[in-house]
Amino acid sequence: MGTATSEPTVMLASKTLAHIHLEGQIDEVFASTEGALRGRIVEAIRLMAASTGGPVTATVVDGDVRWPLTVHPDGTFVEATAAGQDADAPAPAPAPAPAPASALRSDLTRREGVPRGAAQRVAPTVEDLLNSRADRVKPRATEGWQGAVRRMTGGAIAPRPGRAEQSRLDRERAVQRRLDGPRTIVILNPKGGAHKTTSTLLLAATFGTQRGGATLAWDNNETRGTLGWRAQNAPHHRTAVDLLEHLDSFAEPSQASLAALDTYVRTQVDARFDVLASDEDAAASSTIDAAGFDRLHGVLSRYYRLLIVDTGNNMRASNWVAAVAAADQLVIVSTVREDTAASAAWLLDGLREKGFDAKIDDAVTILAAPSAKPDRKLAERLERHFAQVTGDVVHVPFDAALVDGGPIDFDALSVESRDAWLSVAAAIAQRL
C-alpha cells in the first residue's frame, strides 16, 4: 500500500467548474457539462486512490452543503448527498453499495504518463473545446428589421434574430441534432384519407432538406399504397416487393452498395430523400408480411439514418404490427374531422391493449386542416383529447398545393406549410 493521502476537499464553483484542495495545492477541474464535471472529479480522486493503494474520501462542498465522496482505486465510488444539510452538520452515512464510475464518467478520457502530484489535474478534452466554441457563436439576423439593419450597415451592426427567426433556428437545430444510430418513425391511422401518405412525404422532405439526406420514405402497405404515386417520377418502377426478392444480394455489407440500392428506391433530388414504394402491380398476388418487413428493415437501417414508414389501413396485417414494434417514434395523423379523429382515437385504444403504452405516451399527433377554414371548435376539442393521450399535438394548415392528389411539388408549398412541418419534424426529432 502506498503513502497515505490527506483528505481532499472539492469546492464546486459552478455546474462546470470545481477546485480540488489538497495539502495546500489547488487544482482546477472543469468540463462542458455538469455530468462531465462529476466524472472528472471522480477520476481525479481515483488517481489519488490508485497512488495510495486504498480508497480516498473527499469532502464535496457546494455552498453551505457538504457531503463525502469515497472513490476506490478501481474507479467505483460511494457518494452520500446531503440536500439541505448544514455546513457544520456531520456528514451522512455512505450509500450501502458502490456504483460504477462509468455511469458518471462515460465521456471521460484518462491521462497516461507521469502524475503531477497526488491531485493530478484532469485536463479538458477536445470535446470541451468544441462545445465552448459553439456556446460563443451568436446567431446573426437575416430576416425582419434586424436583418435589414445588418444588410444596410454591411454587418457593422448585427442584431440578434427576432423572435420568429429565432424560433425557426431553434427548430432547425432540433431537426439537425445528431443521432447515434438509425431511427424509425411510423405514421399511423387505420382510416383511408387521413393524411398519412402526405405526412410521410412532407416529413421526409423536411428531414431530408434539413439533415442533408440519408432519409427514406417507405410505403409499408401489405399490398398497394400510393406513396410511390405521390412522389416525384423515377427512372424505374421497382418496389419493396422487388427489393425483398433480391435482398440476399445486400446480406453482405462488403458486397453491397448504396448505388445498388438506388435501383430499387426513387430519389427525390430536390428534397434530398428516397422513396421505397409498395407493390404497384394490380395483377400481382404477393404481399409483404412481418418477416418480410423485418428483413427489409434490417437492411435499410444500414443505409438510412431516418426511416419514415407509411402504413396501410389494416391494423391486423402482420407487417403493420411489425412496423409498430420496430418504431422508435409513432406519429398519429388525423384531419380535423370527426370520423378521422375517431379512427385515430380507436387506434390508440387498441395499441394500449396490445401493450404499446410507452410508445403511445410519447407519440406525436398531427392534426391537419381539411380546408382553408377548418372547424375551430372541433380542432380545439381534438387537441384537448390527443394532448391527454399522446406526447404532443401539432397543427398543420390546409395547403392548396396538396389538393390534386398528384406528385407533391415541395417548392409549391406555402410558407405557412413549411413552417408547420418544421414544427412537426422538430417535435419528433426531440424524441428520437
Side-chain angles (χ1 to χ4, degrees):
M1 180 175 295
T3 305
T5 301
S6 302
E7 283 194 0
T9 300
V10 180
M11 307 291 294
L12 298 179
S14 70
K15 291 184 178 181
T16 58
L17 173 65
H19 297 97
I20 299 179
H21 296 248
L22 178 66
E23 298 176 345
Q25 182 179 348
I26 301 176
D27 280 297
E28 185 180 69
V29 179
F30 59 96
S32 59
T33 66
E34 183 176 5
L37 178 67
R38 288 169 59 83
R40 291 202 168 90
I41 292 171
V42 170
E43 176 68 359
I45 301 171
R46 186 200 69 79
L47 291 170
M48 301 178 201
S51 69
T52 63
V56 171
T57 298
T59 299
V60 183
V61 181
D62 186 4
D64 293 335
V65 182
R66 61 179 63 206
W67 62 92
L69 169 63
T70 301
V71 183
H72 297 259
D74 63 358
T76 58
F77 65 93
V78 176
E79 183 177 23
T81 59
Q85 179 184 340
D86 184 79
D88 297 327
S102 58
L104 288 178
R105 53 187 176 89
S106 59
D107 66 340
L108 191 62
T109 301
R110 294 187 176 183
R111 295 191 0 161
E112 301 292 339
V114 180
R116 187 178 62 83
Q120 179 181 351
R121 178 189 178 98
V122 181
T125 66
V126 65
E127 180 182 356
D128 298 311
L129 175 63
L130 296 178
N131 287 341
S132 66
R133 178 190 63 181
D135 293 340
R136 295 171 185 266
V137 174
K138 295 181 179 180
R140 295 177 294 179
T142 61
E143 302 172 359
W145 68 263
Q146 297 93 338
V149 168
R150 177 172 169 244
R151 289 189 293 272
M152 290 173 60
T153 62
I157 301 177
R160 296 181 66 86
R163 182 177 300 178
E165 184 177 6
Q166 187 61 56
S167 170
R168 176 178 59 77
L169 292 173
D170 291 342
R171 285 174 288 150
E172 288 178 351
R173 190 175 298 112
V175 172
Q176 295 163 0
R177 65 186 292 263
R178 188 182 69 84
L179 302 175
D180 58 7
R183 295 291 187 271
T184 301
I185 302 165
V186 177
I187 314 297
L188 299 170
N189 190 319
K191 187 180 185 305
H195 216 62
K196 294 192 300 293
T197 298
T198 302
S199 297
T200 301
L201 287 169
L202 294 180
L203 274 176
T206 304
F207 277 112
T209 53
Q210 291 294 330
R211 295 180 61 87
T215 298
L216 177 71
W218 173 6
D219 195 338
N220 186 44
N221 272 270
E222 65 273 18
T223 54
R224 179 190 59 80
T226 60
L227 189 73
W229 293 354
R230 301 215 64 187
Q232 298 296 322
N233 292 332
H236 66 80
H237 296 283
R238 296 186 185 92
T239 68
V241 172
D242 299 302
L243 177 58
L244 185 60
E245 290 177 354
H246 298 89
L247 204 60
D248 289 343
S249 62
F250 293 89
E252 179 54 52
S254 62
Q255 299 178 359
S257 68
L258 186 58
L261 190 60
D262 282 345
T263 62
Y264 296 94
V265 298
R266 308 176 187 188
T267 301
Q268 310 297 289
V269 177
D270 293 340
R272 307 181 75 177
F273 72 97
D274 292 338
V275 167
L276 180 61
S278 63
D279 189 17
E280 297 173 343
D281 186 353
S285 58
S286 59
T287 60
I288 293 179
D289 58 10
F293 173 87
D294 289 339
R295 290 185 63 208
L296 286 167
H297 186 260
V299 169
L300 293 169
S301 295
R302 297 205 302 260
Y303 294 91
Y304 294 98
R305 185 68 64 178
L306 283 176
L307 296 89
I308 305 177
V309 182
D310 188 12
T311 56
N313 304 330
N314 183 5
M315 292 174 58
R316 296 182 178 87
S318 64
N319 66 319
W320 190 99
V321 177
V324 173
D328 297 296
Q329 180 65 48
L330 297 182
V331 177
I332 313 303
V333 180
S334 175
T335 52
V336 181
R337 291 171 49 103
E338 288 279 6
D339 56 348
T340 316
S343 175
W346 175 72
L347 161 70
L348 294 175
D349 292 345
L351 288 176
R352 287 195 184 277
E353 291 178 2
K354 293 179 182 295
F356 292 108
D357 299 70
K359 292 188 178 185
I360 293 302
D361 290 342
D362 202 38
V364 172
T365 298
I366 300 173
L367 293 177
S371 66
K373 294 182 178 180
D375 187 332
R376 180 173 298 180
K377 289 186 178 180
L378 175 59
E380 292 174 352
R381 181 162 65 86
L382 297 183
E383 179 175 354
R384 283 196 301 271
H385 175 80
F386 288 104
Q388 295 178 70
V389 294
T390 62
D392 202 356
V393 178
V394 187
H395 292 265
V396 295
F398 171 81
D399 196 321
L402 303 172
V403 172
D404 64 6
I408 295 177
D409 181 358
F410 302 105
D411 291 334
L413 296 175
S414 68
V415 174
E416 292 76 16
S417 285
R418 293 175 182 275
D419 191 69
W421 284 102
L422 179 61
S423 295
V424 175
I428 294 170
Q430 290 168 350
R431 291 168 161 77
L432 295 178

